[in-house]
Amino acid sequence: MENTTKNKQNVTENKPRFIDELMNYRFNFGGVVVKLVDIIFALGIFTIGIAARINMFSIASGDYTNAFADWMSEIEAAGGWAYIGIDPVTSDASTFDYNCIFQYCLCLLYTIGGGKVANIVLVKTLSCIFDFVLVFNAMRVTYVLTGSVRKSMMAMAGVTLLPTVILNGATWAQNDAIFTSFLMLSFYSFLKKRDFRTWLYVSIAFIFKQQTIFFLPFLLLMWLKNKTKIRYILLMPVVYFVQVIPAWIAGRSLGSLLGIYSNQVTMFSSLSMNYPNLYTVVTSQISHSMRKIIIPSAILITAMLVGIIAYYIYEKQFEITNEFMVSLIVFMAALIVFCLPVMHERYAYIAEVFGVIYAMFGYRKFCCFVGIETLAIITYIRYLFGSNVTYLYPFAIINLCIILVMGYDLYKQINDNAVSTDK
């Protein structure tokens, strides 16, 4: 009798609860099976992410006050779309110094909500929309790389709630999520072996921000390893030219339109722009003439360093794994920003966002990602809100250590997956 009672208790204990059965109910989305608990988790994270961003909308950063707010006022004064034809080189009616595609976006925002919605809300809403475009594509990329729905959900949560992503768009009013969304789409297309789309998305990213070049070494290295076709790189000048045509027709000179990025490069002359890299140890009192010598030399040396890495990877015969590819993207983006002068705190955005996916491949990578993100948060807060951090060079040393750890990990992956060339 006693055994019968115990058996009944065991059956009761082993019987799944209704809530467990409900949460584990499965849905099939294009061949990807997700549980109800995954959907509820995603909705909860999205809700928190949206609320966190809206809460930041009232903060007017220096960039918004001194740039975006002025541009929206200039659009209003020009009557809307006529603004794209005003050349900032020859007219005081425009101070716009971004590429044309973003100018078109601002004019579209003014057309939709100008006079009805506060300009700061319009500008930040655009950035935040692309935050979630970035989130969705990071989730897709993670699934392709790992085959795990759970890791995809964690990557989604990570990018949604990443402090620098929230601060970049919702607080700063910057738009790095836009070009990085297209880079994430490019990487997804690369993983799916769609070469045309891979380079098309990179080209679109480039017309939004020239920081796209921090992603290009990955594609060039993959071309050296015969993983993509280099001929599609011609899409970059084609897409760039196509996007300037409306402004050219509207009245701007072709020369000024084609020289936007070169003007941006010469806009700042300080070797360090609040990013903890190699140049934080150089005194701010250095002469302008000396800066003009150091900056191009540093760019050339960085290009040579990338070339050395490319040579090593090209010569080594090894299996290119999913882990290696995402590791290479994060490492190269972090290394280039560390080695180049005139780097702003926002320029490590690619490493930070792809770092979320990188963190899905192990505890050591997770620690490196946390280090990169922590340094970014410190510099963001230093600019946006002010902080007690006076000197950045100790953080530059920490940054270098993180990059060296990631580099060693990459080296180890190459050697662990070496393919014998013996006949």
Side-chain angles (χ1 to χ4, degrees):
M1 185 69 178
E2 185 177 343
N3 288 336
T4 303
T5 304
K6 287 182 178 179
N7 289 336
K8 287 181 178 179
Q9 289 176 344
N10 289 334
V11 170
T12 303
E13 289 174 359
N14 292 330
K15 184 179 179 181
R17 297 180 303 166
F18 170 75
I19 186 67
D20 295 329
E21 291 182 331
L22 181 63
M23 289 297 184
N24 285 289
Y25 186 81
R26 286 167 167 76
F27 300 86
N28 191 314
F29 296 103
V32 179
V33 178
V34 298
K35 300 176 184 177
L36 179 60
V37 66
D38 300 321
I39 297 173
I40 293 173
F41 175 72
L43 290 174
I45 292 296
F46 285 158
T47 301
I48 295 170
I50 291 169
R53 285 162 172 79
I54 292 174
N55 189 54
M56 296 287 189
F57 272 21
S58 61
I59 298 174
S61 67
D63 279 12
Y64 176 78
T65 303
N66 299 319
F68 298 106
D70 290 341
W71 297 342
M72 294 302 287
S73 297
E74 289 166 1
I75 291 171
E76 183 177 3
W81 286 97
Y83 185 61
I84 69 173
I86 301 174
D87 198 328
V89 176
T90 59
S91 174
D92 293 334
S94 174
T95 58
F96 194 82
D97 58 12
Y98 273 34
N99 213 347
C100 298
I101 188 68
F102 190 66
Q103 190 176 29
Y104 305 154
C105 290
L106 292 184
C107 287
L108 180 61
L109 289 176
Y110 176 77
T111 302
I112 295 171
K116 306 169 190 173
V117 181
N119 287 336
I120 193 169
V121 174
L122 289 174
V123 173
K124 290 187 175 185
T125 297
L126 174 66
S127 298
C128 291
I129 287 171
F130 275 93
D131 280 359
F132 289 95
V133 174
L134 179 59
V135 165
F136 176 71
N137 286 296
M139 183 171 60
R140 291 204 299 168
V141 164
T142 305
Y143 183 78
V144 173
L145 290 173
T146 67
S148 169
V149 171
R150 180 178 298 174
K151 287 183 177 180
S152 301
M153 290 293 111
M154 295 306 295
M156 175 274 299
V159 178
T160 303
L161 302 179
L162 199 65
T164 48
V165 172
I166 296 174
L167 290 172
N168 188 285
T171 307
W172 204 323
Q174 276 293 347
N175 45 63
D176 294 285
I178 300 179
F179 89 95
T180 311
S181 294
F182 287 105
L183 292 183
M184 196 66 73
L185 276 166
S186 174
F187 187 42
Y188 179 79
S189 299
F190 173 82
L191 294 172
K192 291 293 187 177
K193 304 186 186 304
R194 299 165 182 164
D195 285 346
F196 179 83
R197 291 187 186 182
T198 297
W199 289 95
L200 176 63
Y201 288 131
V202 164
S203 302
I204 296 172
F206 182 69
I207 63 176
F208 276 101
K209 284 288 181 74
Q210 61 179 325
Q211 287 92 290
T212 296
I213 61 175
F214 303 153
F215 182 80
L216 282 180
F218 165 75
L219 288 181
L220 294 176
L221 285 166
M222 291 299 98
W223 165 66
L224 286 174
K225 302 303 287 186
N226 198 28
K227 296 296 182 180
T228 187
K229 295 179 176 65
I230 196 63
R231 63 174 178 264
Y232 292 116
I233 199 173
L234 295 175
L235 283 168
M236 293 187 72
V238 171
V239 171
Y240 187 96
F241 181 75
V242 168
Q243 63 97 27
V244 306
I245 290 175
W248 185 24
I249 293 173
R252 289 187 63 175
S253 70
L254 184 60
S256 70
L257 290 169
L258 296 179
I260 290 171
Y261 281 163
S262 62
N263 291 335
Q264 287 181 0
V265 169
T266 58
M267 189 180 300
F268 304 101
S269 59
S270 296
L271 294 180
S272 177
M273 299 294 292
N274 200 37
Y275 182 75
N277 68 0
L278 184 63
Y279 303 93
T280 57
V281 299
V282 181
T283 175
S284 60
Q285 303 302 317
I286 190 170
S287 67
H288 181 70
S289 59
M290 185 62 71
R291 290 191 190 107
K292 290 179 69 175
I293 296 172
I294 292 175
I295 290 172
S297 299
I299 293 171
L300 290 173
I301 292 170
T302 303
M304 289 172 58
L305 179 59
V306 172
I308 292 169
I309 295 171
Y311 171 76
Y312 178 80
I313 291 177
Y314 176 68
E315 283 293 301
K316 293 287 288 188
Q317 300 301 314
F318 62 97
E319 180 187 357
I320 297 176
T321 63
N322 291 340
E323 180 182 355
F324 173 80
M325 288 187 290
V326 73
S327 299
L328 182 62
I329 291 172
V330 177
F331 171 72
M332 293 302 293
L335 177 66
I336 291 170
V337 177
F338 184 83
C339 293
L340 284 177
V342 202
M343 294 290 102
H344 292 261
E345 55 283 283
R346 293 181 291 103
Y347 288 6
Y349 195 87
I350 295 173
E352 293 152 22
V353 172
F354 279 89
V356 176
I357 303 172
Y358 175 73
M360 297 297 116
F361 284 90
Y363 179 73
R364 185 176 298 177
K365 292 179 178 61
F366 175 80
C367 291
C368 288
F369 157 69
V370 170
I372 291 172
E373 179 64 12
T374 301
L375 291 174
I377 293 170
I378 291 169
T379 55
Y380 269 54
I381 291 174
R382 191 169 184 258
Y383 172 77
L384 290 170
F385 309 116
S387 71
N388 293 322
V389 176
T390 304
Y391 302 105
L392 284 178
Y393 60 83
F395 299 103
I397 295 170
I398 296 171
N399 197 7
L400 176 60
C401 292
I402 294 170
I403 291 170
L404 290 175
V405 170
M406 292 194 298
Y408 175 74
D409 176 66
L410 203 61
Y411 168 80
K412 193 170 183 300
Q413 288 182 52
I414 291 172
N415 285 278
D416 288 349
N417 293 290
V419 176
S420 175
T421 56
D422 296 336
K423 294 183 180 179

